Amino acid sequence: MFSKSEYERRLKGFQAILAQQEIEGALLVQRADTLYFTGTAQNLHLYIPRTGKPLLLVYRNMERVLAESPWEAFPLTGMSKLPELIMEHGHPLPKVMGLEYDVLPVANYLRYEKLFSQTKLMDISYPLRLFRAVKSAEEIARLEENGRVYAQLLEYASTVLRPGMTEIELEGLLEAKARTLGHETMLRTRAFGFEFHFGGVVAGPQGAISGYFDGPVTGLGASYAHPLGPSHSPIQAGDMVMMDLVIAQEGYQADATRMLVIGEPSQKMAEAYQLSCEIQERARLALIPGRKTGDVYAELVDWVERETPYAGNFMGYGQNRVRFIGHGVGLELDELPTISKGAQEILAPGMTIAVEPKFIFPGEGAVGVEDTLVIEGEKGARFLTHAPKSILRV
Amino acid sequence: MFSKSEYERRLKGFQAILAQQEIEGALLVQRADTLYFTGTAQNLHLYIPRTGKPLLLVYRNMERVLAESPWEAFPLTGMSKLPELIMEHGHPLPKVMGLEYDVLPVANYLRYEKLFSQTKLMDISYPLRLFRAVKSAEEIARLEENGRVYAQLLEYASTVLRPGMTEIELEGLLEAKARTLGHETMLRTRAFGFEFHFGGVVAGPQGAISGYFDGPVTGLGASYAHPLGPSHSPIQAGDMVMMDLVIAQEGYQADATRMLVIGEPSQKMAEAYQLSCEIQERARLALIPGRKTGDVYAELVDWVERETPYAGNFMGYGQNRVRFIGHGVGLELDELPTISKGAQEILAPGMTIAVEPKFIFPGEGAVGVEDTLVIEGEKGARFLTHAPKSILRV
C-alpha cells in the first residue's frame, strides 16, 4: 500500500483537473480508477468533489475498505441513494459531473441520468487516464519490482524449454513459477473487448499469424474462441520463441519481451532482433519530456524505413501492420500515452511506457524486444525492466 | 467449431425474439455474443436483421473470420460506415435497434446514437442472455468435456498438495496442468467489474474471509489490488482446501468444486460438506423444466434452515451472505439463470447451471461442492461435471 501523502497527491492533482474543466465532481466506479484513488479494490462508488475529501460509498466489503484505504468510507445500499448521500456529506448536487464514458456500461449510465436529472453528465475518462499516466516514485518502484521477476522467469524459461513442448504448456510453467515469485495472476486492461492474460508466448511461424489483437504479434491462441496468445502447437528446434509477459504485483503491471531459441537463430532472425534492440535504444533516447508522442513514432518509423532492410516487416506486414511502437502501462495494460501514428500526447517525467519494436516475417515468425521505461529527462528514458538482451540459446 | 445448422438455429431463435419485441435489428459487438452467432471471436460488428442473413462487418481479422464463420463477411473500415453498410446489404435503417446495454460503454453508445439518429435504440441484453441460456446438444457436449478435465485435475492435485505450499502456488500448478489437458486459460465474464481468473483455490481460514466477490467464498487474494481467489498464505495440515475451478475449451466454461485436506477433516467440516452434497442432490431433483428459479432457491434455503444445524453459515454468514445457490454458465461465467432469491426465470431443458451449496465458518474456513448441471426433464437435472464426491485426503 502507499503512503497517505501519495493518495493526497492523487486527489489534489485530479481535483485541479476538475476545476480546470469546470466539473463539480466525478463519480468513478471502474476498479482500476477507484483503486488508484482509494487504495482498495473493493466494490464502491467514489465521488470526488472539486474540493474537499473524496466520498467512498461502499457496496462490499466495508471491513476491507476500512483496513486498506486512508479515507473515511460509508455504506451504499443502493444506487438510488447516491444523490442524497452526496448531499448529506456536504456537497451540492453537481451541475456538471464527470463519468468514465470509455468503460461505463450504457445501462448504468442511463440510471445515473435519471438519478441526476438536473446534472449535465460528461466524459472524464481521457483527462483521468492522462493524469494517471504520470507515475510517482512509489509507483515506479513497484513497476521496477516486476522487472526483477521477469528476469528470473527468463532464466527459468531457459531451464524448462525443450522441443515438442507446446506454447501453452511453456507459458503455463512460466506462470506457475511467476506466482511463486510474487506475480498476482490477474491483469487489468481498459479498452472494451481487450482480452489478455499473462502473455504472448509464441514460437516459430505462429509468431507471424495475424489476428484481431491490436499489437504486432497476435499468436494463434488456444482455439478459435480465444484466438490470441499461446497455442497447442509444439515448439520446434530452431523456432524463435517470443516470451512477451506482463508481470503484476499490487496491481502494477510491467511488460517485457525477450527471445529464446532451441539451437541457433537464422542469420536473418538474429539480424532483425539486433535491429529491434537498436530501435528500442533510439526510442529510449527520443523519449524525453516535452516531445509529442506522434513525432517520436514518425521519427522511429522513418529511421526503420531508411536504414533497415525489413521496413516491410516492422510491427506487422501488409494489412496487418499496427501503427504504434509503445504503450503506457501501469494499473492497466493499455494506459496513455501510446507512441503511435498521429498521437498528440506530450511526454512528461514519470510516464511509464512499454516500448516494443518487433519484426514479423510471414511463415517464419516474429522477433523483437520489449521493456517498460520511465520518462525522466533530456538524456532519455530509463529502463524499469532489466534482463540480458542477447537471444537466449537453449 | 459447430455445424452450420447450429448457427442457423441460433440465428432463427434470436430473430424470433426480435420479431416478438418489434425490433428490426440488433447490433452486437460484445465478444461472447458475436462468437455465439458467428463462430469467430475476431473483432466485428454483427448486425442481425429480423429476417435474412446476419451481416458480419469485420475490423480485424478478415482472414480468420472467413476461415471460421459459416457466414459471409464484409470489411468495416470505420464505425461511421455502419448505417450505409446496413442499407447497402438490403436492409432498411431500423426504426428500432437492439444493443447490449449491459456491457456496451457509454462512449460507443453515444456514437451509435449520432450515427443512427432516426433509430430508437433499446436494450436487447436480457432477452439475448436468456436465449443463450438454453444450450444445444453440441454445446452441452463441450461443457461435459471440461468436466473430464476437472476430474483429472483433482487427481493431479492430490499428488502435488503438500503442507507449506501457498494457495497461489497450488493453483498455479493446477493451471499449468490444466493447459496440458486442453484448458484454454482465458475466461469470460459479463458483469461490469467482474474480475476472475481460473479459480478460487482457498485453504483453511482464508476460505471464510469476506470480500466484494458475489459468491459464497471470496478468498484473501494475491494482494489488496486483487482481493479475491488464492493468496500467498501457506496451506497447513488440517486446512480444508477448496478447489473451485473454471475449465474452458472452445470458449465453453464449466465450473466445479471439490475439497481436499492434508490429514483428516474435523467432524464439523466433514458433516457440513456432507450436507452440501445433500443440498446439491436436492437441488438437482428440484431443477426441472417449468419451475421458477426463485422458488427452487426458496425451497432449498427453507430446507437448510429447517433441517441443518448450520443455516447461519450457509452461503456466507452475517452481512456477507450471498442470496444464490447456482448460476448459469457457458460462454460466460455469469450467465442466466441464477438460482437466487426472487429470481423469476423459468427453467427450460438445455439450461446449464453451476450449483454450489457451501458453508462458511468464520476463522475456520469454507466447505462445499459444486457441479455444472443441465436441465432435462421431470427426473431432475443431469451432471455435466463428474468427480468423486468424497473429501480427498492427502
Side-chain angles (χ1 to χ4, degrees):
Chain A
M1 282 177 234
F2 293 97
S3 60
K4 168 118 195 215
S5 63
E6 170 74 10
Y7 292 109
E8 276 165 350
R9 178 193 72 77
R10 296 176 183 185
L11 174 68
K12 295 282 175 243
F14 186 60
Q15 286 179 327
I17 291 169
L18 296 180
Q20 232 171 48
Q21 311 242 341
E22 299 184 14
I23 297 174
E24 279 144 310
L27 188 65
L28 307 180
V29 291
Q30 193 252 18
R31 205 175 307 278
D33 291 338
T34 56
L35 171 62
Y36 179 78
F37 287 111
T38 66
T40 178
Q42 299 299 308
N43 270 2
L44 50 80
H45 269 66
L46 174 64
Y47 182 71
I48 300 189
R50 198 192 293 172
T51 56
K53 285 188 291 185
L55 180 58
L56 282 65
L57 299 170
V58 180
Y59 277 119
R60 290 174 71 187
N61 171 283
M62 185 56 95
E63 215 175 304
R64 288 205 190 186
V65 171
L66 295 177
E68 293 168 349
S69 180
W71 306 113
E72 270 187 296
F74 306 91
L76 178 64
T77 51
M79 239 196 223
S80 62
K81 299 276 195 321
L82 283 168
E84 75 185 64
L85 281 167
I86 287 172
M87 290 190 289
E88 262 175 31
H89 286 88
H91 306 290
L93 270 191
K95 287 196 196 70
V96 183
M97 184 165 79
L99 297 173
E100 302 143 308
Y101 279 27
D102 64 336
V103 290
L104 190 73
V106 185
N108 303 40
Y109 169 76
L110 295 178
R111 286 210 60 191
Y112 297 138
E113 221 180 26
K114 269 197 194 143
L115 285 170
F116 294 91
S117 56
Q118 302 304 308
T119 297
K120 181 175 181 275
L121 302 178
M122 62 173 277
D123 189 6
I124 193 71
S125 58
Y126 180 76
L128 170 55
R129 293 181 68 210
L130 201 56
F131 175 67
R132 288 220 278 103
V134 175
K135 273 73 172 178
S136 69
E138 291 183 65
E139 293 180 281
I140 292 163
R142 266 168 185 68
L143 286 173
E144 211 156 3
E145 284 299 323
N146 294 324
R148 280 187 261 283
V149 172
Y150 184 88
Q152 284 173 272
L153 283 181
L154 182 62
E155 221 180 288
Y156 176 73
S158 72
T159 68
V160 296
L161 175 60
R162 52 172 204 278
M165 165 181 270
T166 67
E167 294 169 335
I168 215 167
E169 191 180 349
L170 175 59
E171 202 190 271
L173 292 176
L174 294 176
E175 189 178 341
K177 179 70 173 181
R179 292 178 182 218
T180 68
L181 300 171
H183 171 62
E184 58 194 10
T185 312
M186 285 199 271
L187 299 180
R188 291 197 173 99
T189 59
R190 189 172 190 100
F192 180 62
F194 184 1
E195 300 179 328
F196 191 86
H197 178 70
F198 190 50
V201 170
V202 295
Q206 281 88 246
I209 291 173
S210 56
Y212 82 80
F213 184 60
D214 195 17
V217 180
T218 297
L220 182 57
S223 79
Y224 69 93
H226 288 285
L228 74 166
S231 74
H232 293 288
S233 308
I235 301 170
Q236 319 279 358
D239 282 353
M240 298 305 297
V241 182
M242 182 168 279
M243 185 174 134
D244 184 350
L245 302 180
V246 181
I247 313 291
Q249 290 179 95
E250 295 195 23
Y252 281 86
Q253 306 172 169
D255 199 353
T257 301
R258 292 292 186 276
M259 302 298 307
L260 298 96
V261 65
I262 306 173
E264 286 293 322
S266 72
Q267 209 190 319
K268 179 177 162 187
M269 287 300 199
E271 189 192 358
Y273 179 72
Q274 263 319 107
L275 281 173
S276 298
C277 294
E278 189 173 342
I279 298 161
Q280 196 196 46
E281 178 59 14
R282 286 183 175 271
R284 190 186 73 72
L285 291 170
L287 290 169
I288 56 178
R291 293 207 65 190
K292 195 185 284 183
T293 49
D295 294 346
V296 174
Y297 174 81
E299 180 183 301
L300 291 165
V301 168
D302 273 1
W303 186 85
V304 172
E305 281 170 2
R306 261 193 345 261
E307 303 288 339
T308 80
Y310 305 123
N313 303 90
F314 185 58
M315 303 305 282
Y317 55 91
Q319 295 284 329
N320 299 303
R321 169 169 296 188
V322 295
R323 305 288 173 185
F324 81 92
I325 299 179
H327 56 92
V329 64
L331 289 176
E332 294 169 318
L333 189 55
D334 47 351
E335 296 202 347
L336 291 174
T338 57
I339 311 301
S340 62
K341 188 171 176 173
Q344 297 293 314
E345 285 80 23
I346 305 297
L347 292 169
M351 285 180 168
T352 50
I353 302 173
V355 178
E356 52 172 330
K358 289 171 181 170
F359 290 95
I360 290 85
F361 301 96
E364 297 175 83
V367 288
V369 71
E370 179 175 22
D371 283 291
T372 301
L373 296 99
V374 58
I375 308 300
E376 290 198 329
E378 293 300 312
K379 289 181 178 166
R382 178 169 68 85
F383 284 107
L384 298 177
T385 51
H386 311 266
K389 289 234 168 117
S390 52
I391 296 173
L392 236 167
R393 290 157 174 84
V394 176
Chain B
M1 282 177 233
F2 294 96
S3 61
K4 170 118 194 214
S5 64
E6 169 74 10
Y7 292 109
E8 277 164 351
R9 179 193 70 78
R10 294 176 184 186
L11 175 68
K12 296 279 174 248
F14 186 59
Q15 285 178 327
I17 290 169
L18 294 179
Q20 229 172 51
Q21 310 243 340
E22 298 183 16
I23 297 174
E24 281 144 307
L27 188 65
L28 308 181
V29 292
Q30 195 251 18
R31 206 175 305 280
D33 291 338
T34 56
L35 170 63
Y36 179 78
F37 288 110
T38 66
T40 178
Q42 299 297 308
N43 270 2
L44 51 80
H45 270 66
L46 174 64
Y47 182 71
I48 300 189
R50 200 193 291 175
T51 57
K53 285 187 293 185
L55 181 56
L56 283 65
L57 299 169
V58 180
Y59 278 120
R60 293 173 69 189
N61 171 286
M62 183 57 94
E63 216 176 304
R64 289 207 189 184
V65 171
L66 295 177
E68 294 168 349
S69 180
W71 306 112
E72 269 188 296
F74 306 91
L76 178 64
T77 52
M79 239 195 225
S80 61
K81 300 276 194 321
L82 284 168
E84 74 185 63
L85 281 167
I86 288 173
M87 290 189 291
E88 262 173 35
H89 285 89
H91 305 290
L93 269 190
K95 287 197 196 71
V96 183
M97 183 167 78
L99 297 173
E100 301 143 309
Y101 279 27
D102 63 337
V103 289
L104 189 74
V106 184
N108 303 39
Y109 169 77
L110 296 178
R111 286 211 60 193
Y112 296 137
E113 221 180 28
K114 270 194 194 147
L115 286 170
F116 295 90
S117 56
Q118 304 304 310
T119 297
K120 183 176 180 268
L121 302 177
M122 63 171 279
D123 190 7
I124 193 71
S125 58
Y126 180 76
L128 171 53
R129 294 181 66 211
L130 200 56
F131 175 66
R132 287 221 277 102
V134 175
K135 272 74 173 179
S136 69
E138 292 184 63
E139 292 180 283
I140 291 163
R142 265 166 186 70
L143 286 173
E144 210 155 6
E145 284 300 321
N146 295 322
R148 280 188 261 280
V149 172
Y150 184 88
Q152 285 174 273
L153 284 180
L154 182 63
E155 220 180 289
Y156 176 74
S158 73
T159 68
V160 296
L161 175 61
R162 52 172 204 278
M165 167 181 268
T166 66
E167 293 169 336
I168 213 168
E169 192 180 348
L170 175 59
E171 202 190 271
L173 292 176
L174 294 176
E175 188 178 340
K177 180 70 173 180
R179 291 177 183 219
T180 69
L181 300 171
H183 170 63
E184 58 193 11
T185 312
M186 285 199 270
L187 300 180
R188 291 199 173 97
T189 58
R190 190 172 188 100
F192 180 62
F194 184 2
E195 299 177 329
F196 191 84
H197 178 69
F198 191 50
V201 169
V202 295
Q206 281 88 244
I209 290 175
S210 55
Y212 82 79
F213 184 62
D214 196 17
V217 179
T218 297
L220 181 56
S223 78
Y224 69 93
H226 288 285
L228 73 165
S231 74
H232 293 289
S233 308
I235 301 169
Q236 319 278 359
D239 282 353
M240 298 304 296
V241 181
M242 180 168 281
M243 187 173 131
D244 184 350
L245 301 181
V246 181
I247 312 291
Q249 289 178 97
E250 296 195 19
Y252 282 84
Q253 308 172 165
D255 200 352
T257 300
R258 293 292 185 274
M259 302 298 306
L260 298 97
V261 65
I262 306 173
E264 286 293 323
S266 72
Q267 207 190 320
K268 177 175 162 190
M269 287 301 197
E271 187 192 0
Y273 179 73
Q274 263 317 107
L275 282 173
S276 299
C277 295
E278 187 170 345
I279 298 161
Q280 196 197 47
E281 178 59 15
R282 288 184 172 270
R284 190 186 74 73
L285 293 170
L287 289 169
I288 56 178
R291 292 208 64 190
K292 194 184 286 182
T293 49
D295 293 348
V296 174
Y297 174 82
E299 178 183 301
L300 291 166
V301 167
D302 273 3
W303 186 86
V304 171
E305 280 169 2
R306 262 193 346 261
E307 303 289 336
T308 81
Y310 305 124
N313 304 89
F314 186 59
M315 301 306 282
Y317 55 91
Q319 295 285 327
N320 299 304
R321 168 170 299 189
V322 294
R323 305 288 173 188
F324 80 93
I325 298 180
H327 56 90
V329 67
L331 289 176
E332 295 169 318
L333 189 54
D334 47 350
E335 296 201 348
L336 291 172
T338 58
I339 311 301
S340 61
K341 188 170 176 172
Q344 296 293 312
E345 284 79 24
I346 304 298
L347 292 169
M351 286 180 169
T352 50
I353 303 174
V355 178
E356 52 172 330
K358 290 172 181 170
F359 289 95
I360 290 85
F361 300 96
E364 295 175 85
V367 289
V369 71
E370 179 176 22
D371 282 291
T372 300
L373 295 98
V374 58
I375 308 301
E376 289 197 331
E378 293 300 312
K379 289 181 178 167
R382 178 168 68 84
F383 284 106
L384 298 177
T385 52
H386 311 267
K389 290 238 168 113
S390 53
I391 297 173
L392 236 167
R393 290 156 175 86
V394 176

